[in-house]
Structure formats: C-alpha cells, structure tokens
Amino acid sequence: MSTLHPDLPNIDPARFKAPSHEALQGAARSTHAPRFLLLYGSLRERSYSKLLTLEAARLLQAMGGDVRVFDPTGLPLPDSVPDSHPKVQELRDLAQWAEGMVWCSPEGHGAMTGILKAQIDWIPLSVGSVRPTQGKTLAVMEVSGGSQSFNAVNQMRILGRWMRMITIPNQSSVAKAFMEFDEAGRMRPSAYYERVVDVMEELVKFTLLTRDVSGYLVDRYSERPGGQP
C-alpha cells in the first residue's frame, strides 16, 4: 500500500493526465464542413419552432455548415417500440453523424414540448463504446406565443449537460413568434433575428474550435483504466 504525501492530492499518478498544450496543438485539423443536426418540437402545420429551425439551417449553411433537419413526424414515444424502428434509427444515425446540434422548442405550459423531449430521449447516452452526444456542441432556442420567457431553453440546457454536450453561452428566445414570420414562413428582420444569427455564428465557432479535441476534453480521470472496481 502506498503512503500518501501530506502535501499531494489523493490521485493515482499513473491515471492522472495534466493538461497538455502539445495534446491540443498536435490534434489533426478536420477539413470537412462542420456537421449540424437540428431538432424542433412541434408538429403543427405552421410550426414556429420549425420555421425558426429552418432559418437557423439557412444561416448554418451560409456559414459553411453541412446541415440536416430531423422531421419528428412518425417518431414513436420513447420505449413504445424497439429501437430498430426506422425513425429511431434515422435519428440515432444523425446524432452520431453530427458534430453539433440545435434544439428548438415552443414553450408549452412553461416547459419544452414532449415532442422535443421524446427526440432527445431516443438518443442514448452510449451505444457500446460510442457516446453519440458527448463532447459535441449544442445551441438552444425557443419560441413562445406571449411575452419572452426562458423556461424551455433553461430546461434544454440541463438536458445538454446531462448528454455531456458543450452547450454554447448564447441562446435565442423569440416572443410572440406569430408576429416574427411573414406569410411565406420567413423570419422578418428584427433584433430577434439578429440574435439567431449571433447564436448560429457562435455555434459554428465553438464547433470548429472543439470538434478535433473533443476526445481530449471529455477524457476523465474517473473513467480511465485502473479506477475503483
């Protein structure tokens, strides 16, 4: 049994990795377009969360992103069918493909919708040794029919942390969303729109900065070989 030095922390030096500048500088830089998966939380024919998501998709594409928007129509409730269901597999494949995500929900009864939560619940924390969301970036947005609120984005931030994602600081909350889109479904110029631009720009930046070092960022002492049985 080893004797602890009174001035040193109780860690196993063989498992501990001090932050390394070389580890970051030596990472190979990806050259492909950053990959983004966008989820929205309403099935209404004129869904403002979908319209806002499509605006975000256009912005990400204009900023050089490779973008996929998942249509939740036909996605069963979590655990109601085997995970081999085609819509579940489509969602999981996209989650694994993506390097960053955007979650956009209406605020219903002071919370995100069950439709968005169901999509997130179908994405597992791990599939074998693969963690589909760990170390990936996330931006959160919400729309509401009344005054501005932050209940849905706050909930999504908690979920992002639980999914071990890098949730960016900026966020978007669009109040009275029915006034912010024209008849063609395009978002009108406004301070709300410029905030969406800011959020997407920040998401791209964080994704480019972290995607090649995400393995280093999520490498944890407690999960390395040699820990407690």
Side-chain angles (χ1 to χ4, degrees):
M1 180 180 295
S2 61
T3 303
L4 294 175
H5 190 286
D7 296 327
L8 296 179
N10 184 14
I11 60 172
D12 179 357
R15 291 170 54 210
F16 179 68
K17 296 180 181 179
S20 167
H21 180 71
E22 289 73 20
L24 295 177
Q25 291 294 93
R29 307 305 297 179
S30 297
T31 57
H32 64 269
R35 301 191 294 255
F36 299 104
L37 169 61
L38 282 63
L39 308 179
Y40 59 90
S42 172
L43 299 178
R44 290 181 178 177
E45 183 176 353
R46 185 173 171 84
S47 162
Y48 293 108
S49 66
K50 179 179 180 179
L51 294 180
L52 184 58
T53 297
L54 294 177
E55 288 292 340
R58 294 182 186 100
L59 289 167
L60 290 171
Q61 289 171 334
M63 295 173 187
D66 186 357
V67 180
R68 303 287 185 273
V69 179
F70 178 73
D71 180 358
T73 304
L75 181 70
L77 289 174
D79 301 325
S80 66
V81 297
D83 58 17
S84 58
H85 188 282
K87 288 295 290 188
V88 175
Q89 285 301 305
E90 177 189 354
L91 175 59
R92 291 187 173 188
D93 289 346
L94 287 170
Q96 190 162 331
W97 165 85
E99 296 168 328
M101 294 190 192
V102 178
W103 297 347
C104 182
S105 178
E107 182 169 315
H109 298 303
M112 78 177 77
T113 62
I115 293 168
L116 184 66
K117 182 62 163 57
Q119 294 173 73
I120 298 169
D121 284 346
W122 270 121
I123 301 173
L125 289 174
S126 63
V127 181
S129 61
V130 177
R131 288 171 169 163
T133 55
Q134 179 173 254
K136 298 181 179 183
T137 53
L138 171 66
V140 294
M141 307 192 298
E142 73 168 85
V143 295
S144 57
S147 58
Q148 191 173 45
S149 176
F150 301 94
N151 292 320
V153 288
N154 287 340
Q155 281 190 322
M156 287 186 279
R157 284 190 174 278
I158 293 173
L159 278 173
R161 184 175 67 218
W162 186 258
M163 303 295 280
R164 295 183 169 186
M165 303 185 77
I166 303 168
T167 307
I168 67 171
N170 212 345
Q171 62 187 24
S172 169
S173 174
V174 179
K176 296 183 179 178
F178 61 91
M179 298 177 62
E180 300 301 321
F181 293 86
D182 62 23
E183 291 303 312
R186 296 302 306 272
M187 195 171 184
R188 296 187 173 96
S190 68
Y192 286 136
Y193 180 76
E194 294 203 351
R195 171 59 70 90
V196 176
V197 177
D198 288 347
V199 173
M200 294 305 109
E201 184 179 48
E202 188 171 287
L203 178 64
V204 171
K205 290 177 179 179
F206 269 74
T207 305
L208 292 174
L209 286 170
T210 62
R211 66 177 179 175
D212 293 316
V213 295
S214 61
Y216 175 74
L217 293 174
V218 301
D219 183 21
R220 294 174 175 83
Y221 174 84
S222 61
E223 297 176 348
R224 292 181 200 130
Q228 295 296 321

